[in-house]
Amino acid sequence: MTSSGRSFAKGRSIPMKMMAVTMSALLAITIPLTLASQQKSAYADTTSDLATVQAQVDAANTKLNELTGELTVASDDLYDIQTQQADVEAQIVDTQQQVDEAQAQYDAAMDVLKKQAVQNYTSDQVDYISVLLDSSSFSDFATRLYLVDKMMSQQTTAINNVTAAKEELDTKQTDLQSQKDNLDSLETAAQEKAATAQTTLDEQSSYVSGLSSEVTSLMAQQASERSAAAAAAVAAAAATTTASSSSSSSSSSGSSSSSGSSSSTSGSGSSGSSSGSGSSSGSYSSVVAAAESRVGCSYVYGASGPSSFDCSGLTMWAYAKMGVSLPHSASAQYSYCDHISSSDLQAGDLIFYGASTGSITHVSMYVGGGYVVEALNPGQGVVEDALGWNGMNIVGYGRV
């Protein structure tokens, strides 16, 4: 009976051992599969978040380009006003010279009057009535009357000259003050408009920078989660293979599925932009090379090099390298250029953007091969990209 008891107990221990092995195998499979599923889900969530933030970055950059255009218009308006200011200042100098001449005439006329007044006061001939009555004959009276009239006429002329000189002086002074007031008003308004545009642009640039930082962080997180998900998938596959091999009591280990590391090289997406400037020749190749050498520099409103630029500042700087002096204004550069069609476009030509040729907001330089170099905005700086990539409306083409 003791023997049968031991036999019964031994018979009960076999299925319990098998159950423990089975449970262990299940756990060995379930845990890696669960981790792999969690890693895959986290990677998918991060990818979705990245797509959302990237869309926000694209929209923010579009807005940034619009604001950059508005700032360009404001800076062009300020440039035009400053040009007018130079003209007005030249007129002020000329007016001041005329004022000085009028003052000199006034002083001379007053000197004549003073001298005549002193002479009349001290002379015996001051009494013109006595002079006429003392005539000895009618002929003498007529002669004396003529002389008296001539003296009176000279005094009248002197007085008129003084009055005219004084009136001219007053008029010139009034015109001078009016020009100065108008100049101050134009300058103040233009500076306020440019300052407002700059503030708005800075705020948008800061917003874009923040989004870009978030994109960078999410990309790093995505890469980490992608690696973790791949590793978890490998671990799950290995666990499944091991468990399957253990559960079958065959001596053969079966297929040891090495899944590899599934290294998914995504590629950075950098579209090795060809400069396309090989077709340019002569001096235009040097201006293209000068512009391309600034790729990567920062965008700063009003800057014209050598390490920071706005759109017209970049083209002005590049052409200065070949001895051509362009104005620091996109609209003024359009007026400076010979206008061409898109079919005539060559490396070194300028491309203008805006609502119309009367409202130009941006300029870039064509470098050949369908590419341009441009100081785009504070978020992107000086870049070389495909023609039309910036999404702005092209209104004209120009050759310097």
Side-chain angles (χ1 to χ4, degrees):
M1 188 158 179
T2 306
S3 173
S4 63
R6 284 199 301 268
S7 181
F8 178 77
K10 187 176 180 180
R12 289 286 299 262
S13 66
I14 293 174
M16 290 295 293
K17 183 177 181 180
M18 291 180 61
M19 183 179 296
V21 171
T22 302
M23 288 298 295
S24 178
L26 286 174
L27 287 174
I29 297 174
T30 302
I31 292 175
L33 286 176
T34 300
L35 290 175
S37 177
Q38 290 174 344
Q39 293 290 351
K40 186 176 180 180
S41 177
Y43 173 73
D45 290 343
T46 302
T47 300
S48 176
D49 292 343
L50 180 60
T52 299
V53 177
Q54 187 60 59
Q56 294 174 350
V57 170
D58 293 340
N61 275 324
T62 298
K63 180 63 176 179
L64 190 63
N65 287 339
E66 293 175 1
L67 293 174
T68 302
E70 292 176 7
L71 181 58
T72 300
V73 170
S75 65
D76 285 352
D77 289 344
L78 183 57
Y79 176 85
D80 292 341
I81 290 171
Q82 289 172 341
T83 301
Q84 296 174 23
Q85 183 179 26
D87 292 339
V88 170
E89 287 175 349
Q91 294 176 24
I92 287 174
V93 171
D94 182 63
T95 301
Q96 187 60 51
Q97 290 176 347
Q98 296 181 37
V99 167
D100 293 342
E101 292 173 1
Q103 184 65 51
Q105 293 175 8
Y106 174 81
D107 293 341
M110 287 300 296
D111 189 56
V112 169
L113 280 179
K114 289 176 182 178
K115 288 179 179 179
Q116 287 186 349
V118 172
Q119 181 181 4
N120 291 339
Y121 182 77
T122 59
S123 173
D124 292 338
Q125 298 179 4
V126 94
D127 188 355
Y128 297 127
I129 300 298
S130 299
V131 170
L132 293 175
L133 293 178
D134 287 343
S135 58
S136 59
S137 64
F138 179 77
S139 176
D140 184 33
F141 177 81
T143 300
R144 293 188 180 200
L145 180 61
Y146 169 76
L147 293 174
V148 168
D149 181 64
K150 186 174 182 180
M151 291 177 64
M152 295 294 292
S153 176
Q154 288 176 345
Q155 283 189 329
T156 300
T157 300
I159 293 172
N160 289 339
N161 287 340
V162 170
T163 302
K166 190 64 173 66
E167 288 177 352
E168 183 177 359
L169 176 62
D170 292 340
T171 300
K172 292 298 180 181
Q173 286 179 326
T174 300
D175 291 344
L176 182 65
Q177 187 61 47
S178 176
Q179 291 176 34
K180 185 178 183 303
D181 291 344
N182 184 52
L183 178 64
D184 292 344
S185 177
L186 288 174
E187 186 178 23
T188 299
Q191 287 175 341
E192 289 177 353
K193 183 178 180 181
T196 299
Q198 181 67 66
T199 299
T200 305
L201 183 63
D202 289 343
E203 292 173 351
Q204 184 68 11
S205 180
S206 177
Y207 174 64
V208 170
S209 179
L211 286 176
S212 298
S213 297
E214 187 174 353
V215 166
T216 301
S217 176
L218 285 172
M219 288 179 68
Q221 181 179 342
Q222 183 190 46
S224 175
E225 290 173 349
R226 180 171 58 229
S227 298
V234 170
T240 301
T241 300
T242 301
S244 175
S245 181
S246 298
S247 64
S248 66
S249 53
S250 66
S251 60
S252 169
S253 62
S255 60
S256 57
S257 62
S258 60
S259 62
S261 63
S262 67
S263 56
S264 56
T265 57
S266 62
S268 63
S270 59
S271 62
S273 64
S274 88
S275 68
S277 60
S279 62
S280 61
S281 61
S283 58
Y284 284 100
S285 63
S286 66
V287 77
V288 167
E292 289 183 319
S293 72
R294 300 297 90 189
V295 171
C297 289
S298 61
Y299 180 104
V300 176
Y301 159 67
S304 56
S307 58
S308 298
F309 302 86
D310 61 12
C311 64
S312 59
L314 174 64
T315 51
M316 181 179 75
W317 181 87
Y319 267 99
K321 295 302 178 183
M322 58 177 280
V324 177
S325 179
L326 292 180
H328 194 176
S329 161
S331 59
Q333 288 182 10
Y334 179 75
S335 299
Y336 182 95
C337 290
D338 293 328
H339 300 160
I340 59 174
S341 65
S342 58
S343 60
D344 294 328
L345 202 59
Q346 297 178 5
D349 290 339
L350 302 183
I351 303 172
F352 299 91
Y353 309 79
S356 66
T357 55
S359 180
I360 292 175
T361 60
H362 184 65
V363 60
S364 68
M365 179 184 294
Y366 187 66
V367 296
Y371 282 83
V372 299
V373 169
E374 57 188 337
L376 193 56
N377 57 51
Q380 293 164 283
V382 178
V383 297
E384 182 169 332
D385 49 43
L387 176 60
W389 178 86
N390 62 25
M392 299 182 190
N393 181 51
I394 298 175
V395 297
Y397 307 86
R399 180 163 298 154
V400 178

